[in-house]
């Protein structure tokens, strides 16, 4: 798919068909997302693909701060991707000191780029995704027994779209772009 078209036609998809998303397909999406740029090429993002229904339902029910809108999305998705970031590397020196005044900002910045790259690659392959930020990090870390040196960046349910959401309005370029 042409890049501009892929960017413009990607939507947050919250309803999915029952069709399985195979591990091979997920590997292809992550292989594309691996090309996202990152701070000094540190590549701190990791993708935990939750295929087990019991674990996925547990996260849906207990890991969304009571936001049942997100519960339903996760329950209906064949796969839930939990995006994490290895901490203390992106934006930090080897001695652990912060390289800039922005502390942990850069690891989240890297994760954001990786998330969009993941979602665009998935869209190109006919999959639907949505980035979920209303989540309970501590609960999900415990559900998956994640290592102490990783933080959760976001959840991304993945599946074949069962809806075609209308594009939400975007701000006009004149409001976004300032020529200086
Ligand atoms: C950081 C971030 C957090 C988000 N969190 C949620 C969420 O918790 N639940 C949800 O349904 N959508 C969530 N979204 C999706 C946005 O609502 C969506 O991207 C926005 O409305 C624009 O729609 P589009 O992605 O179809 O262009 C989130 C998106 C981002 C980037």
């Amino acid at each position: 798919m042409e890049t501009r078209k892929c960017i413009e036609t990607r939507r947050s998809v919250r309803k999915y068909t029952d069709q399985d998303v195979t591990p091979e397909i997920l590997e292809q999406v992550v292989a594309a997302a691996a090309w996202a740029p990152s701070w000094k090429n540190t590549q701190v993002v990791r993708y935990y693909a939750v295929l087990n229904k019991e674990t996925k339902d547990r996260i849906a029910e207990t890991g969304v701060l009571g936001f049942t809108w997100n519960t339903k999305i996760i329950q209906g998705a064949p796969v839930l991707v939990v995006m994490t970031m290895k901490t203390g590397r992106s934006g930090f020196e080897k001695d652990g000191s912060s390289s800039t005044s922005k502390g942990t900002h850069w690891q989240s910045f890297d994760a954001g780029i990786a998330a969009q790259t993941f979602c665009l690659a998935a869209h190109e392959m006919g999959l639907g995704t949505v980035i979920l930020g209303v989540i309970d990090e501590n609960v999900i870390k415990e559900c998956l027994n994640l290592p102490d040196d990783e933080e959760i960046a976001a959840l991304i349910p993945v599946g074949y779209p069962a809806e075609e959401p209308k594009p939400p309005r975007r701000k006009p370029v004149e409001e976004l772009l300032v020529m200086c």
Side-chain angles (χ1 to χ4, degrees), residues 10-12 14 69-70 73 130-134 168 170:
R10 179 216 54 82
R11 291 276 68 77
S12 290
R14 299 177 174 89
W69 170 268
N70 279 356
I73 299 170
V130 57
I131 296 167
L132 303 182
V134 185
R170 278 350 195 220

Side-chain angles (χ1 to χ4, degrees), residues 12-17 160-165:
S12 290
V13 173
R14 299 177 174 89
K15 290 197 175 99
Y16 316 92
T17 68
Y160 290 93
E163 63 169 359
E164 261 187 59

Side-chain angles (χ1 to χ4, degrees), residues 26-102:
L26 285 169
E27 278 168 17
Q28 287 180 46
V29 178
V30 171
W35 287 102
S38 62
W39 174 279
K40 289 187 183 172
N41 201 24
T42 43
Q43 304 176 58
V44 296
V45 174
R46 299 292 180 269
Y47 305 85
Y48 292 83
V50 183
L51 303 150
N52 179 276
K53 189 177 170 345
E54 213 171 282
T55 310
K56 195 169 64 66
D57 283 349
R58 202 171 143 217
I59 292 173
E61 279 154 26
T62 64
V64 295
L65 302 168
F67 187 43
T68 54
W69 170 268
N70 279 356
T71 303
K72 290 195 187 91
I73 299 170
I74 298 168
Q75 282 172 338
V79 181
L80 175 67
V81 170
V82 178
M83 268 189 74
T84 72
M85 315 164 278
K86 294 257 177 212
T87 51
R89 296 190 195 169
S90 175
F92 294 91
E93 299 297 307
K94 286 215 164 69
D95 66 5
S97 62
S98 188
S99 306
T100 69
S101 62
K102 294 180 83 67

Side-chain angles (χ1 to χ4, degrees), residues 58-59 62-65 135-146 150-152:
R58 202 171 143 217
I59 292 173
T62 64
V64 295
L65 302 168
I135 55 170
D136 189 328
E137 168 161 35
N138 292 333
V139 167
I140 300 166
K141 277 191 86 167
E142 201 189 308
C143 282
L144 296 179
N145 201 18
L146 294 180
E150 287 183 33
E151 274 180 32
I152 295 178

